[in-house]
Amino acid sequence: MTSEHYNQATNKEQRTTNCDERSLKFVIVGHVDHGKSTLIGRLLYDTNSLPPDKMEEIRKTSQELGRDTEFAYLLDHLEEERRQGITIDTTQVFFKTDKKEYVIIDAPGHVEFVKNMITGASQAEAAILIIDAKEGIQEQTKRHATILSMLGIEQVIVLINKVDLIDFNAEKYIELKTKIGKFLITLNITPKLYIPISALKGDNIANKSTNMPWYKGPTMLEGLSQLKNKAPLENQPLIFPVQDIYKIDDKRIIVGRVETGAIKEGQVVKVLPEGQITRVKSIEKFLSDAKSASAQESTGITTEDAVFLDRGNVLCEKGKEPKVSDTFQTSVFWMSKQGYNKDEKVLLRCATQEISCKIEAIHRRINSSSLELIETDAQNLENLEIGEVTIKTKKPIVIDTFKNTREIGRFVLVKNENISAGGIITNIE
């Protein structure tokens, strides 16, 4: 392994790592065509976050397609997406107001891209659930709200979009708001706010709408400013999953990303799952004499002892260790057209750990669209179903509940070399 490769590894994802800690990450979810991309385009436009030539490009593209200026094209910038008219990937967009900085995670609404939505939502501190005022609650609305509930996202704002299509009618808005509230309470979701908007026309996004004098609440931007950041990850105990070991000159450099906490020169650390104790000899950063690395930083370290480390090991603080277990309860979202039969072997990936496992019990099998219980003590899971299951791994691994430590509390299951499910750990035996 050359020093060039090492430098690339430790500098990877620096744009995200260096994002101001005051930035709040939120995901926008909802049924396809309910207005997510249009909303993001409008937000960028209203907060002056667009490059000078971008709007001209969008106007030209819209004209070529015979349409009015479409804010959605700011996000759906690929020709294939423009042609299909749907968002097909998860996009991160940065913008700021005079009060706060934000990172928007635009998650696709189409049923075929559920795994992208789960990936995006798992990174978020808050969520915007957008619902078309005319169409109301749809299949993907239910499915995405269920995923938000599974991921434990507590800060949720509901935007009822396209109120211009119901003539800004207060009674129709209140009727839909009541219906949404009754649905969300079944998922233990209590929205912080409900806001009627028209993303296309700009009503209640950055400025109060003159079309809805009956609405006395905040605009979307005012609502976002009320949301809170989570406690800084560096304030939590150290979690440092080992990504690789590089041999450069006479140094054996352990490379990874500090998921939580901080790691510093001279620090005593414990290596899991084996349990060896060692001390950090040096912090290895390219062209830097740094003595420490904080949460979300990719870095290299060396140790004073010649302990054997490999990809998948996790360094932590002695006395503040995460759990080590081979059996744990989870909620999984099966998202492969190829179903799963109980006790079938699959690969589990959690942080940098990869290990063979099986689902040894499917306690509850749930329809992710209707949320109806399909059966208890099931023998299989099918596409787009939720399972409350017990997983057993080939040997103990380093984990925690998603509620305590997200970075080692979430995982994916791989079947036939394809990611087939995403899940969170709810309880550990």
Side-chain angles (χ1 to χ4, degrees), residues 43 47 95 97 102 204-206 219-226:
L43 279 171
T47 57
F95 80 98
T97 67
Y102 299 95
N204 285 337
I205 304 300
T219 63
M220 180 190 176
L221 285 181
E222 290 170 340
L224 284 175
S225 70
Q226 297 176 20

Side-chain angles (χ1 to χ4, degrees), residues 212-354:
M212 291 175 278
W214 45 266
Y215 174 71
K216 306 300 183 183
T219 63
M220 180 190 176
L221 285 181
E222 290 170 340
L224 284 175
S225 70
Q226 297 176 20
L227 302 179
K228 306 296 183 184
N229 291 91
K230 292 181 180 177
L233 292 174
E234 55 263 31
N235 291 352
Q236 300 177 25
L238 171 66
I239 298 291
F240 182 76
V242 176
Q243 175 184 326
D244 210 340
I245 311 295
Y246 298 161
K247 186 70 167 64
I248 300 176
D249 299 327
D250 61 342
K251 290 183 177 180
R252 191 168 179 268
I253 301 178
I254 302 154
V255 171
R257 189 173 78 160
V258 182
E259 295 293 351
T260 60
I263 193 165
K264 60 185 178 180
E265 206 173 273
Q267 181 177 0
V268 174
V269 293
K270 189 172 184 177
V271 181
L272 296 180
E274 287 80 6
Q276 312 103 302
I277 303 295
T278 188
R279 186 183 298 271
V280 177
K281 182 177 181 180
S282 66
I283 301 295
E284 300 290 331
K285 293 183 181 179
F286 181 58
L287 296 179
S288 170
D289 59 355
K291 305 296 183 182
S292 65
S294 298
Q296 303 301 288
E297 280 191 82
S298 295
T299 190
I301 68 167
T302 64
T303 60
E304 291 185 354
D305 307 309
V307 294
F308 178 78
L309 292 171
D310 204 352
R311 177 181 173 86
N313 284 135
V314 176
L315 275 59
C316 62
E317 298 176 47
K318 184 179 179 182
K320 297 182 180 180
E321 304 94 336
K323 303 290 192 298
V324 176
S325 179
D326 64 356
T327 307
F328 41 95
Q329 281 73 53
T330 77
S331 291
V332 299
F333 193 103
W334 196 263
M335 48 194 177
S336 170
K337 292 181 179 179
Q338 186 177 11
Y340 177 85
N341 296 313
K342 194 177 79 168
D343 290 331
E344 183 179 358
K345 289 184 178 180
V346 291
L347 185 69
L348 180 143
R349 292 177 182 165
C350 178
T352 58
Q353 302 171 103
E354 296 187 6

Side-chain angles (χ1 to χ4, degrees), residues 47-115:
T47 57
N48 298 314
S49 301
L50 295 172
D53 59 340
K54 180 57 70 172
M55 279 308 299
E56 183 58 35
E57 175 191 338
I58 298 306
R59 289 191 186 99
K60 182 179 178 181
T61 301
S62 299
Q63 288 174 357
E64 290 173 352
L65 294 173
R67 301 181 186 180
D68 294 333
T69 300
E70 294 256 5
F71 288 106
Y73 293 150
L74 291 168
L75 275 297
D76 299 338
H77 56 280
L78 299 177
E79 291 299 327
E80 180 184 2
E81 292 187 52
R82 287 174 175 162
R83 180 169 49 81
Q84 293 181 352
I86 57 173
T87 307
I88 63 173
D89 201 356
T90 300
T91 306
Q92 289 199 7
V93 182
F94 302 79
F95 80 98
K96 65 181 178 179
T97 67
D98 56 354
K99 293 183 178 180
K100 203 172 184 68
E101 297 184 358
Y102 299 95
V103 180
I104 309 171
I105 304 169
D106 175 37
H110 195 272
V111 66
E112 295 298 325
F113 310 112
V114 170
K115 65 177 66 177

Side-chain angles (χ1 to χ4, degrees), residues 11 25 51 84 139 200 202 224 234 268 389:
N11 285 315
K25 277 192 172 186
Q84 293 181 352
E139 179 182 2
L200 184 63
L224 284 175
E234 55 263 31
V268 174
V389 309

